[in-house]
């Protein structure tokens, strides 16, 4: 990892702004911090212009095939052809929050859920929302 690389720190995007021995100075949306290499995970090996550019990057929408487990980099290249360091944070964020993907680390393969798994997740979410609405209605009536 080197200056200009985009990394994850506590599952948030950070930009390496300086390397001093075994310490990395990173800039996050909330400010700057010095951390050890073991505390950060590389997100892209290219140079990122700024943390703001990474946070504000747009992610294209694409269709994916079930049963494949591409790497993060392969999936990003599939989406963009070539992708920039700035775009890597938004892609990682979108993949992690999507019901379609199983993401643990940029270094691990990305799992793609089957249509049946997605339907079960959506059903569970709808049940949770309905239960919450019933609790709120009960509390309001009480």
């Amino acid at each position: 990892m080197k200056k200009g690389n985009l990394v994850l720190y506590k599952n948030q995007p950070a930009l390496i702004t300086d390397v001093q021995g075994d310490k990395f100075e990173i800039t996050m949306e909330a400010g700057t911090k010095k951390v050890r290499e073991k505390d950060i995970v590389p997100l892209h090996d290219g140079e990122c212009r700024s943390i703001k550019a990474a946070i504000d990057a747009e992610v294209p929408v694409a269709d994916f095939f079930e049963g494949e487990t591409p790497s993060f980099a392969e999936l990003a290249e599939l989406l963009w052809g070539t992708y920039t360091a700035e775009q890597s944070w938004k892609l990682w964020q979108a993949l992690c929050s999507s019901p379609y993907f199983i993401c643990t680390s940029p270094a691990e393969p990305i799992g793609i859920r089957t249509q049946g798994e997605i339907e079960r997740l959506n059903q569970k979410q709808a049940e949770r929302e309905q239960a919450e609405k019933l609790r709120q209605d009960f509390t309001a009536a009480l």
Side-chain angles (χ1 to χ4, degrees), residues 6 8 42-45 69-80 83-85 87-96 103 105-110:
L6 193 63
L8 289 180
L43 196 55
H44 192 282
D45 61 358
T69 55
S71 71
F72 174 63
E74 289 170 334
L75 195 53
E77 288 175 14
L78 175 66
L79 289 173
W80 286 304
Y83 73 107
T84 66
Q87 293 169 323
S88 61
W89 162 243
K90 284 295 192 176
L91 177 60
W92 179 251
Q93 187 179 37
L95 292 177
C96 288
C103 305
S105 165
E108 298 292 322
I110 305 295

Side-chain angles (χ1 to χ4, degrees), residues 73-134:
E74 289 170 334
L75 195 53
E77 288 175 14
L78 175 66
L79 289 173
W80 286 304
T82 59
Y83 73 107
T84 66
E86 289 85 2
Q87 293 169 323
S88 61
W89 162 243
K90 284 295 192 176
L91 177 60
W92 179 251
Q93 187 179 37
L95 292 177
C96 288
S97 64
S98 171
Y100 299 99
F101 304 103
I102 303 166
C103 305
T104 55
S105 165
E108 298 292 322
I110 305 295
I112 301 174
R113 289 189 172 97
T114 65
Q115 189 60 38
E117 291 172 323
I118 294 166
E119 289 170 6
R120 284 190 294 280
L121 285 173
N122 289 339
Q123 179 64 31
K124 285 181 182 180
Q125 180 64 28
E127 290 169 3
R128 280 190 291 260
E129 289 171 1
Q130 179 63 24
E132 180 60 30
K133 183 179 182 329
L134 289 173

